[in-house]
Amino acid sequence: MLFDSVGFLLIFLLTLLLAVPLGAYLKRVYHGDKSLLDFFAPFERTLLKWCRINPELEMNWKQYLLALLTIQLVWLIPAIIILILQGKLILNPAHIGGMEWSLAFNSAVSFLTSTNLQHYAGETGATYLSQIGVFTFLQFMSAATSLAAGVAIVRGLTAKTGTGIGNFYQDFLKSLTRVLLPLSVIVAILFMFKGMPMTFKGAHQIITLQGDTVNVSKGPVAAMVPIKELGSNGGGFFSANDAHPFENPDFVTFIIHFVIVLLLPMAFVFFIVYYLNQKKFAWMLFGVMTAGLALLAIPILKEEAAGNPKIAAMGISQHAGNMEGKEVRFGTNYSALYCAENVAIPAGTVASVHDSYMPLTATAMLAGMQIDAFFGGLGTGWINMLIYLIIAVFIGTLMIGRTPEFFGKKINAKEMQVAVVVSAAQIFVPVAFAAIACFVYINHSGGPEALGWLSNKGPHGFTTMLYEYISSVAGNGSNFGGLGNNTVFWNLTTALAMLSGRFVPIIGGLMIIGLMRAKQYVPASLGTLKTDSVTFGVFLFCIILILTVLSLFIMFMLGPITEYFNLKAYILMN
């Protein structure tokens, strides 16, 4: 474990080493300074001119939001049509049929919202056209959208007074041409050199040593994998995701996966440093996020390293930890750390089966996805952190008898109301949907078994259903396993959860920043609450835990904590 801990630290430091200059580069791109990829500028201007868009037009928050939402609808409809008709279209060497309408709707919404919840099996449920023309395309678009929204909110925190927060189309296009596409090309080349497939040929037929004929699926894998992690997306080309050797050929590629999942969310923190010239504030954020990530990772690592006592009672050695459902090539510790990283970001990429993890591990998974601000998703993690910051500043300043101020702008009742509504919605939506699912399951006329939803009953089954909705709202997209989720009920309810989890924070964040932007800047005084101090960082951390972990405590008691005590009781009785 000590040796692996050194490896974990080196991976984090490598990511940090890359994130600092990347954050400076992001500042140059979005501030309009000269940057390395300025040669894309003529192409960007031509494309915007062809679309009759004036990139110099400064938008207020309502215009920015309208542009953002409109362009989402433009992509959603053709994506659904392609998925339904994929069986009759090109690039289908495996002769995969079209998706059922609710599955097509769910899958399109999933990738549009950067959630990538997959109710279909990757290599057998989607054609090459769907994998590239729908899923890979939407992963770029959704990542660029969330990055643009995050940038607009940072821009709105500057001392300038007015209504403009930038131009969505320009921010969106720069996110693609200057950030996501170049990084994805670099990573794809590295992956191809390590053996990741990039072909439009059909499955490869081989004969095994024992004489069986096996069809090995291939495809344009290297085009999809980089953006699924750089953009905090997470959808796998194969149903096994990063446990599949074609998505993760060896330990070197596994390290690359670790780095690129965390790279841009971490770089965004340093982008804030350079853009706002607020070094102490950004380092405070970095400290809170790093502490939160560690707080999620440690219990997951500890629980999995201890092994499964039920398996130990059968006389099977647990010296390697709980290896059930883990990636054998990389072991328990690295599989568990990858789980922790991907529930915190939340990219939702998996290299092991979360259903097989120990009960208390599920509490850390659910909390990490619900918080979604310990680095969090690309752009969206910062938006969620803004909501926590507004609430923390408002409560903190009232505790010391001061007027709430944040970056020189007063926080009034409207900003606080929006922040509370967003925070409450993020908790209410998954809990309400989980309650509905439990009601339907228990009261189904043919009995629960007729639904075929759960392979595990009791508290574990409740955790499975709760996980599905928290994962959907958080934009994570991973699933707990053991859930028959490709039904009209699950496809539609999780689609609604994904839409809520994606756009409610973006709408709330842009509304808050629009209200603050219009206010007169007030210089800091001796009575101003310092939001860049260690004390405030600790206070912010406590607010985050209170608003999320304690709000879900009853859910934890009904699911993973009850399962944990049941396991303890079983061991004592045997």
Side-chain angles (χ1 to χ4, degrees):
M1 183 65 182
L2 179 61
F3 181 77
D4 286 343
S5 298
V6 174
F8 302 158
L9 181 60
L10 290 175
I11 291 172
F12 186 84
L13 292 176
L14 174 61
T15 310
L16 178 61
L17 188 66
L18 295 172
V20 174
L22 183 56
Y25 169 75
L26 292 176
K27 181 264 178 181
R28 300 186 71 84
V29 168
Y30 295 109
H31 197 262
D33 303 333
K34 290 185 178 180
S35 64
L36 183 65
L37 300 179
D38 280 347
F39 58 84
F40 277 113
F43 166 76
E44 294 166 353
R45 287 194 296 268
T46 301
L47 182 60
L48 291 171
K49 184 177 180 181
W50 182 71
C51 295
R52 298 182 180 180
I53 294 171
N54 178 12
E56 304 303 322
L57 177 65
E58 190 86 357
M59 296 179 173
N60 60 35
W61 75 269
K62 293 180 181 178
Q63 294 168 325
Y64 201 98
L65 178 61
L66 179 62
L68 185 152
L69 294 177
T70 301
I71 206 168
Q72 309 301 304
L73 185 62
V74 169
W75 295 321
L76 178 63
I77 296 173
I80 295 172
I81 293 172
I82 291 173
L83 293 176
I84 292 174
L85 300 177
Q86 66 175 358
K88 300 178 181 179
L89 301 176
I90 61 173
L91 296 177
N92 187 12
H95 306 291
I96 297 170
M99 288 187 181
E100 182 265 339
W101 71 270
S102 69
L103 178 59
F105 176 69
N106 179 277
S107 301
V109 168
S110 177
F111 282 80
L112 180 76
T113 58
S114 197
T115 309
N116 295 18
L117 183 74
Q118 293 176 285
H119 287 178
Y120 66 94
E123 64 270 41
T124 59
T127 66
Y128 291 169
L129 177 65
S130 296
Q131 295 274 30
I132 296 298
V134 176
F135 299 143
T136 302
F137 173 80
L138 288 180
Q139 287 187 105
F140 274 103
M141 300 304 139
S142 60
T145 298
S146 55
L147 182 54
V151 168
I153 288 177
V154 172
R155 188 181 291 126
L157 289 175
T158 57
K160 180 181 176 182
T161 298
T163 59
I165 57 172
N167 185 288
F168 169 74
Y169 298 108
Q170 187 174 54
D171 291 340
F172 172 79
L173 193 55
K174 282 186 174 182
S175 298
L176 285 172
T177 59
R178 311 291 182 93
V179 182
L180 297 172
L181 276 168
L183 286 175
S184 295
V185 169
I186 294 170
V187 174
I189 291 171
L190 293 175
F191 280 153
M192 284 191 289
F193 273 115
K194 296 300 295 181
M196 191 175 290
M198 184 61 199
T199 178
F200 286 100
K201 294 181 180 179
H204 184 62
Q205 192 175 86
I206 63 172
I207 299 176
T208 65
L209 292 175
Q210 62 184 19
D212 296 330
T213 301
V214 179
N215 291 319
V216 180
S217 298
K218 300 182 294 183
V221 185
M224 182 179 186
V225 173
I227 188 57
K228 82 169 186 177
E229 290 168 352
L230 284 165
S232 303
N233 294 297
F237 190 96
F238 300 97
S239 57
N241 213 291
D242 279 356
H244 197 289
F246 284 171
E247 287 201 34
N248 195 2
D250 56 29
F251 191 70
V252 173
T253 58
F254 198 32
I255 293 174
I256 296 174
H257 283 296
F258 269 108
V259 172
I260 63 177
V261 166
L262 186 57
L263 180 59
L264 279 171
M266 184 183 287
F268 199 91
V269 178
F270 295 101
F271 161 70
I272 296 172
V273 171
Y274 294 109
Y275 199 97
L276 299 178
N277 194 27
Q278 295 283 344
K279 293 183 180 179
K280 290 182 67 178
F281 172 77
W283 278 111
M284 181 277 295
L285 277 187
F286 181 81
V288 170
M289 292 177 176
T290 302
L293 180 60
L295 191 65
L296 293 173
I298 290 171
I300 294 177
L301 288 164
K302 181 178 179 296
E303 285 294 305
E304 300 310 307
N308 191 328
K310 278 193 175 182
I311 297 178
M314 299 166 60
I316 300 174
S317 173
Q318 295 290 283
H319 72 278
N322 177 28
M323 279 299 295
E324 182 188 359
K326 302 299 189 299
E327 171 54 80
V328 176
R329 293 177 296 165
F330 310 129
T332 300
N333 292 334
Y334 277 95
S335 296
L337 182 69
Y338 198 59
C339 165
E341 182 181 67
N342 279 277
V343 295
I345 297 304
T349 304
V350 296
S352 53
V353 180
H354 291 181
D355 185 48
S356 64
Y357 277 67
M358 299 304 296
L360 288 185
T361 302
T363 60
M365 292 182 191
L366 294 168
M369 291 188 295
Q370 184 64 54
I371 292 170
D372 190 13
F374 293 151
F375 293 107
L378 176 59
T380 55
W382 157 243
I383 294 173
N384 290 323
M385 181 58 80
L386 175 73
I387 301 300
Y388 293 126
L389 281 164
I390 295 297
I391 295 173
V393 169
F394 190 85
I395 295 174
T397 50
L398 291 183
M399 289 172 66
I400 61 174
R402 302 290 182 181
T403 302
E405 294 177 13
F406 187 56
F407 279 85
K409 303 296 179 72
K410 293 187 181 298
I411 300 174
N412 295 331
K414 285 186 178 180
E415 291 89 342
M416 188 61 184
Q417 288 167 353
V418 173
V420 170
V421 168
V422 172
S423 180
Q426 294 297 89
I427 295 172
F428 174 78
V429 171
V431 171
F433 274 124
I436 294 170
C438 289
F439 179 84
V440 172
Y441 181 77
I442 294 172
N443 295 280
H444 185 256
S445 58
E449 298 298 332
L451 287 171
W453 283 3
L454 298 175
S455 60
N456 293 287
K457 309 300 187 296
H460 192 91
F462 173 76
T463 304
T464 300
M465 292 194 287
L466 178 65
Y467 188 103
E468 186 81 358
Y469 288 117
I470 288 183
S471 175
S472 299
V473 172
N476 184 279
S478 63
N479 61 65
F480 210 58
L483 178 66
N485 51 19
N486 186 14
T487 66
V488 174
F489 176 86
W490 285 103
N491 286 336
L492 294 183
T493 55
T494 53
L496 292 175
M498 288 185 283
L499 289 169
S500 169
R502 171 69 165 183
F503 294 113
V504 168
I506 289 178
I507 293 170
L510 289 175
M511 185 182 297
I512 289 171
I513 216 66
L515 292 169
M516 292 177 62
R517 184 74 162 174
K519 295 177 181 178
Q520 196 68 34
Y521 176 78
V522 179
S525 64
L526 292 176
T528 302
L529 177 67
K530 292 185 177 181
T531 57
D532 56 5
S533 65
V534 175
T535 303
F536 181 78
V538 173
F539 181 71
L540 173 63
F541 193 83
C542 293
I543 290 292
I544 293 172
L545 294 182
I546 291 170
L547 289 177
T548 53
V549 179
L550 292 184
S551 298
L552 289 174
F553 183 72
I554 295 177
M555 301 297 107
F556 293 160
M557 287 298 298
L558 292 173
I561 295 179
T562 297
E563 185 183 0
Y564 169 77
F565 283 119
N566 287 346
L567 179 62
K568 285 294 184 182
Y570 172 86
I571 298 302
L572 291 173
M573 293 174 63
N574 293 274

